[in-house]
Amino acid sequence: MIQTITIEKATEHVKGKLSPKRFTHTLGVVEMAKKLARTYHIDETQAHMAALLHDVMKESSLQEMQDIVKEGHIEVDQEMLNNGALLHGPAGAAYAKLRLQIVDVDICEAIRVHTLGSTSMSILDKIIFLADYIEPNRNFPGVDELRQLAFINLNRAVVSAYDGTIRHLLDLGLTIHADTIQGRNSVLLERSEL
């Protein structure tokens, strides 16, 4: 992996863009992503950078997110475009590429899909998606069991995280983006057990 920005510089940059609480969450995602990367034999530096940058745009305004997604030519649907909770992943990918000169397309893709997932998730994508869900600062019923499962069977853990997200959205009476449903189904149907 060739990068023009170091982990140290990226860390300082992210720290300056996020609230202390969000930055603590980010460091938890980094910690979990690195452990999962070692378990599943994925480049730990890639996992570190993707985890570090996954929420870089989370606290930016919706307008800023919309502007950078447009500048980065990242395709998003209308539902994403009008919802910062959904748009921050694609916006973060655009930010990483355009502002931090992250040239690794796998890192940018993992950032882009970390919230909704996708129908063709790589192992790195799954690691960032899951690390965001089970990082050490998360506390919800079943999280400890899911953390254990994450190191035994990545696909089963990812499906379980999808299930938890979908249940939560149903409980709140909110819409469920099609990418979430399709991403869950795609992982569920994968034949290889990781």
Side-chain angles (χ1 to χ4, degrees), residues 16-163:
K17 280 193 67 71
L18 299 179
S19 66
K21 182 178 179 182
R22 178 66 49 190
F23 186 66
T24 297
H25 160 73
T26 295
L27 295 180
V29 176
V30 167
E31 178 187 335
M32 184 60 69
K34 287 169 63 178
K35 288 178 183 176
L36 288 167
R38 285 191 293 271
T39 298
Y40 293 103
H41 312 292
I42 293 298
D43 186 306
E44 197 174 323
T45 304
Q46 274 187 312
H48 189 151
M49 188 67 85
L52 182 62
L53 297 175
H54 84 285
D55 272 355
V56 70
M57 291 295 290
K58 180 81 173 187
E59 296 176 332
S60 299
S61 71
L62 182 60
Q63 186 64 57
E64 288 175 282
M65 291 185 207
Q66 292 168 338
D67 290 347
I68 200 158
V69 164
K70 183 177 180 183
E71 182 184 345
H73 305 288
I74 295 183
E75 286 189 38
V76 295
D77 62 27
Q78 201 61 39
E79 185 179 356
M80 279 190 230
L81 196 61
N82 294 317
N83 184 332
L86 303 181
L87 192 58
H88 79 275
Y95 189 91
K97 181 179 178 183
L98 297 172
R99 302 292 183 265
L100 301 179
Q101 287 74 51
I102 300 293
V103 296
D104 188 319
V105 295
D106 295 331
I107 289 173
C108 291
E109 180 65 2
I111 295 166
R112 185 183 76 81
V113 303
H114 84 269
T115 302
L116 298 176
S118 77
T119 56
S120 57
M121 292 173 80
S122 69
I123 296 174
L124 179 62
D125 296 344
K126 291 173 185 177
I127 284 172
I128 302 306
F129 175 88
L130 192 56
D132 185 27
Y133 196 77
I134 63 169
E135 59 97 356
N137 300 294
R138 298 280 196 201
N139 185 17
F140 55 86
V143 70
D144 291 329
E145 293 81 1
L146 186 51
R147 285 184 187 122
Q148 290 175 0
L149 179 60
F151 292 95
I152 298 168
N153 188 304
L154 185 62
N155 282 348
R156 281 181 50 209
V158 168
V159 169
S160 183
Y162 268 124
D163 290 350

